[in-house]
Every structure is written in C-alpha cells, then in structure tokens.
Amino acid sequence: MVIVRPHQAPSGESLLFLIPQSVHAALSGDLASHWGNGGFLPLVHPEVVWPAIFHHDDGWIPTDNAPPIDPETKRPVSFLDSPPADSHAIWTKSIQGAARISPFAQYLIAEHFMMLREQSHSADSEAGRTFLSKYDELCESWRDRWEERHPACHEEDVQRAIRQLRFFDWFSLWLCLADRTEPHTFEETPQDVPLTITPQEEGVFVTEPWPWTVQDVHVAVGGWLVPDRNYDDTDDLLREMNDWRRLHWRFVPK
C-alpha cells in the first residue's frame, strides 16, 4: 500500500502520485537529521533512534513495489485503507527487520505501531487485540535487553524517543498527503513546543521556531505518476508505473 496523492497535470489531466511508504519513512529520517534547536531537544540515542525513524516502514517495501488494487473501487489501495490483518503482517516485518539496528529500535517501532492500532477503530477486534497482546509482551523483553547495556536511558528519554518517531512520521505524512498552501502549526511535537510551518513560493516553508542546527533544510521524495483511472489488477497498474517524479521542499527560518 502506498500514499495516494491526487495530482493535476498542467494539461488538466487528473493523475495519482503514488509515494512508497518506505520512501515516506526515509523522509521522516531526513526531517529528523540535524534536529535539536530552538526549544527542541536532539534525538535520544541518535545512533539508534535515527535509523529506527528512517527504517520504520521497511516492511512495506514488497507492497510499495507492487501496490494492490481494491477489487471494488478498482483503485490503488492507500495505506490508510489497509485491512488490519495486512497492516499487522507488514508492521511485523518492519519490527523484525529493526533487529539489525537494536532491541531498542524494535521496541520503539513496535510501540509506534501499537499506538496506531490502539487509536484505530479496529483496536477491539480479535486481530487488534492479538497484535497488541503479542507486542506488549515482546516490547518488555526488548526494552530489558536494551537497558542491560544502557542503564542510563531513563523513562523520560524512552518516552521522548517514542514521541520523536511519531512526530517525524506525521511530519512526513503531512508533506506527502497533499499540496500544502496554508500555514499549519504542529501542536504535538516531542517537547510540546508548537512548530508553525508557513508556505511561501512553491516548495518553500518558513519555520518558527527554527528546530534544526543547520541554516536551512532541503528534503525530497520520489513517486510514480499514474493515470487516475480504474485498474483491473496490480499488473495493470505496474504497466503505468514508469514515470518517476520527485517532490522537493525547503525549510527556512523566519
């Protein structure tokens, strides 16, 4: 499942911009780079938290490369409409893959997905309860293994690390889901310091307060432009996935 973003060509033709979930997660990591200024604390244990942010959606890579088609709507399935069982399987791959980073990375990514499930309408379904129960137990073991090696990682740091992953995930999604033309204030930041993003000319955002340690930040994502039409199946869509484009954003201080 990909991020499905409506797009209109200069000719007026309606298109879909399909952004892979793994690319969105890499954007999360790019936004987290050089973070820690203007009231915003740096990443907790960046040697672990940064790659956890960057790779938290690696489990989506197979479906990113072959997006499924909804049999009823005949459209590419957005990650927002992913059936719980499918999401659980994909999230599990992401959590398992994070083992190459650290038990703490597994803990953070699992906690992130557990929160997503807890806040969804399927939290009380059998699949939801099974997923939450399984990872609630595993999270404890991963955190215990981490703290055996890092006893100085206090509860406040752990919670801040979780909030950092969640914030950069949402920051990236906010950019990817639509063309932003109005000012927006992120209220739920890692330190609950409001962050206001104000669009200027195309792709440029004035940012207040300035949260990065560099003078400006330039990030981008790639995705496929495809016709906005009905598709018979994934193979039908894959035949149209040959126009790879990039979206660019530049953040500057006020």
Side-chain angles (χ1 to χ4, degrees):
M1 293 72 171
V2 291
I3 295 170
V4 181
R5 172 176 169 146
H7 179 85
Q8 191 169 46
S11 64
E13 179 187 7
S14 293
L15 302 169
L16 298 176
F17 194 79
L18 306 182
I19 302 174
Q21 280 287 94
S22 51
V23 171
H24 134 70
L27 173 60
S28 300
D30 288 343
L31 292 167
S33 299
H34 307 292
W35 188 263
N37 183 54
F40 297 95
L41 295 175
L43 295 183
V44 176
H45 291 290
E47 74 282 1
V48 172
V49 175
W50 185 85
I53 293 171
F54 195 97
H55 292 287
H56 77 269
D57 275 338
D58 277 9
W60 291 92
I61 291 174
T63 53
D64 284 343
N65 294 330
I69 300 299
D70 187 305
E72 295 185 2
T73 66
K74 302 295 184 181
R75 297 305 179 98
V77 177
S78 164
F79 79 101
L80 294 169
D81 301 317
S82 175
D86 292 352
S87 293
H88 296 161
I90 290 167
W91 292 349
T92 294
K93 290 178 182 178
S94 292
I95 296 166
Q96 291 173 339
R100 71 186 188 278
I101 303 171
S102 161
F104 192 44
Q106 290 184 280
Y107 170 83
L108 293 175
I109 294 171
E111 285 284 350
H112 172 64
F113 290 138
M114 288 171 66
M115 290 180 187
L116 291 181
R117 181 53 66 224
E118 287 170 346
Q119 296 170 3
S120 72
H121 66 274
S122 60
D124 291 330
S125 67
E126 182 178 353
R129 290 193 300 271
T130 299
F131 179 83
L132 292 169
S133 175
K134 172 183 176 181
Y135 282 103
D136 187 53
E137 183 175 343
L138 285 171
C139 278
E140 290 303 317
S141 66
W142 289 325
R143 184 166 171 180
D144 288 345
R145 287 170 56 196
W146 167 259
E147 291 182 344
E148 286 174 1
R149 289 178 264 173
H150 298 81
C153 193
H154 303 296
E155 178 64 21
E156 182 180 350
D157 295 327
V158 172
Q159 293 305 313
R160 178 155 54 95
I162 294 171
R163 289 169 65 88
Q164 287 172 337
L165 193 160
R166 287 174 59 79
F167 170 71
F168 290 111
D169 178 56
W170 171 236
F171 195 170
S172 172
L173 285 175
W174 181 80
L175 287 170
C176 291
L177 283 168
D179 183 20
R180 304 301 179 179
T181 58
E182 299 294 329
H184 177 77
T185 297
F186 292 96
E187 300 287 353
E188 295 185 15
T189 63
Q191 276 79 53
D192 287 328
V193 177
L195 182 69
T196 299
I197 310 292
T198 304
Q200 303 295 303
E201 65 268 24
E202 186 176 354
V204 176
F205 294 94
V206 170
T207 310
E208 184 183 16
W210 184 244
W212 290 285
T213 60
V214 291
Q215 293 183 344
D216 67 354
V217 170
H218 184 193
V219 295
V221 295
W224 294 280
L225 268 183
V226 301
D228 185 1
R229 67 168 176 85
N230 292 343
Y231 290 91
D232 295 331
D233 51 29
T234 295
D235 286 340
D236 188 16
L237 176 61
L238 289 174
R239 285 190 286 271
E240 297 281 13
M241 289 169 56
N242 49 36
D243 188 359
W244 181 263
R245 301 290 185 93
R246 289 166 64 86
L247 296 173
H248 298 262
W249 301 280
R250 182 167 171 252
F251 296 89
V252 297
K254 185 172 180 179

